[in-house]
Amino acid sequence: MRLRVEFTTEPFDLDEAPAHAVVAREIVQRAALDAVDVGPFGNTAEGGAEVVLSTVDALLRRSLAVGATRISLQVNVIGDAVVAVADTDTDTGGDGERRTRAEEIR
């Protein structure tokens, strides 16, 4: 499963990046993520679920430890996400054998 995380840390300081913002940026840039976009008003990173989740754990713990008073984040499943079965029916196909047909949603 692939995940995308979007996050911001606060308090903001437009004159100089606060320690919590610097730490958060370093964590995502050093992680083995597939894509990272760091900006002054929000950050985005993508990768495999285990890497993203462990990166989020480190980001939360270390950013709070150096002064973040609020961290907003959103995690989305992207790419080849979970496949759900939308419709399943059983048919004998006219030959007496049972067959199950499932339509997949991606």
Side-chain angles (χ1 to χ4, degrees), residues 20-87:
H20 58 81
V22 173
V23 165
R25 180 178 64 222
E26 289 173 353
I27 289 169
V28 296
Q29 289 177 331
R30 290 181 181 163
L33 296 161
D34 300 334
V36 174
D37 182 26
V38 177
F41 301 109
N43 309 284
T44 305
E46 295 180 8
E50 289 304 315
V51 174
V52 171
L53 294 173
S54 64
T55 301
V56 166
D57 178 62
L59 183 144
L60 291 171
R61 292 174 189 278
R62 293 187 50 208
S63 295
L64 290 168
V66 295
T69 57
R70 177 178 177 156
I71 302 170
S72 301
L73 66 92
Q74 178 174 312
V75 178
N76 293 300
V77 176
I78 59 171
D80 288 326
V82 176
V83 175
V85 175
D87 179 26

Side-chain angles (χ1 to χ4, degrees), residues 1 4 10 23 25-26 33 42 47 65 85 98 100-101 104:
M1 176 184 327
R4 175 185 299 127
E10 295 180 38
V23 165
R25 180 178 64 222
E26 289 173 353
L33 296 161
V85 175
R98 292 177 60 98
T100 302
R101 178 179 53 84
E104 297 177 348

